Amino acid sequence: MSNLSHLSDASREHTIAQFIADAHEVLAHSGVTESSLRALGDLLRRLAQLPDLIPDHDLAAMHGSDSSATVLHSDGAEAMTLVLAKFSPTAETPIHDHGSWAAACVVRGRDRYRHWERLEDSATPSRAELHLLYERELGPGDVVYWLDPPDDIHSQQGIDEPVWELLLFGKNAMIRPRHYFDPTTGAVRVALPQ
Ligand SMILES: [Fe+2]
């Protein structure tokens, strides 16, 4: 790999554009499968080594907390979108979905990632019973991925300090409504990212 420590903005844009091209190639070849999402995770792991990825300035707030996210690249509202996100250690994100597959790779910090399964479905869309499917602790270079709905329900929290992650979504998750789940009451609400 070339020396990435002195990348100009143009080189950085080129690296991200090449990443997106590589990701399209993976999906064109295999479609959205666990195997292709693992391959996208490998691409994210390489991209996570890009220097100066984490900005000095604050990103847009998300989940109504000090978590935040910014879009690095988007092919459109319903198309592939690359996001850099920061998850707070002070509170877990609400349990939510994105209406899309995604792969995520930790850039800096540690993440307690929880993946949830919805037990009761569609009969009462505003109510849901959730089951914790698995919990993982992720460090730099670790990857997690999820498939399209209904397999995209999760929550995250930084451990001791904020955790920074690259996420590649099949759709622009930052501008599309998502479901927020309350595991105590069973309430489900639809809202834009907050
Ligand atoms: Fe999420």
Side-chain angles (χ1 to χ4, degrees):
M1 183 180 292
S2 63
N3 182 356
L4 293 175
S5 60
H6 298 98
L7 277 185
S8 65
D9 285 350
S11 295
R12 174 191 164 97
E13 290 307 310
H14 175 77
T15 303
I16 290 175
Q18 186 61 54
F19 166 86
I20 294 294
D22 291 346
H24 277 297
E25 197 174 315
V26 166
L27 293 172
H29 186 262
S30 314
V32 179
T33 65
E34 294 215 17
S35 160
S36 61
L37 290 178
R38 271 195 297 275
L40 295 178
D42 291 340
L43 293 177
L44 282 171
R45 188 179 293 114
R46 270 171 42 199
L47 187 64
Q49 295 170 8
L50 198 61
D52 305 323
L53 197 54
I54 297 171
D56 296 331
H57 58 81
D58 285 338
L59 307 178
M62 184 175 63
H63 297 307
S65 72
D66 52 350
S67 295
S68 58
T70 191
V71 173
L72 298 181
H73 174 93
S74 181
D75 287 341
E78 301 298 315
M80 192 184 288
T81 298
L82 178 66
V83 170
L84 177 69
K86 179 182 78 167
F87 298 103
S88 168
T90 57
E92 185 173 16
T93 66
I95 301 172
H96 63 280
D97 66 9
H98 293 287
S100 172
W101 60 264
C105 180
V106 173
V107 178
R108 181 193 296 172
R110 299 193 67 77
D111 177 16
R112 188 191 66 183
Y113 175 88
R114 288 177 164 175
H115 197 89
W116 301 83
E117 180 180 42
R118 184 174 183 167
L119 298 180
E120 291 179 18
D121 216 352
S122 57
T124 315
S126 61
R127 313 287 301 175
E129 188 181 340
L130 295 179
H131 165 70
L132 179 62
L133 211 51
Y134 62 86
E135 177 176 319
R136 281 184 62 192
E137 218 179 282
L138 308 170
D142 287 340
V143 164
V144 68
Y145 57 84
W146 55 85
L147 290 162
D148 278 320
D151 296 323
D152 61 336
I153 304 173
H154 57 271
S155 54
Q156 296 178 257
Q157 182 172 4
I159 299 173
D160 299 331
E161 59 181 352
V163 58
W164 292 82
E165 298 182 16
L166 283 170
L167 298 110
L168 182 68
F169 293 95
K171 298 176 180 174
N172 189 341
M174 304 315 299
I175 60 171
R176 304 176 81 256
R178 56 181 70 175
H179 294 98
Y180 285 99
F181 301 89
D182 184 329
T184 308
T185 64
V188 182
R189 63 191 176 84
V190 177
L192 286 166
Q194 53 190 276

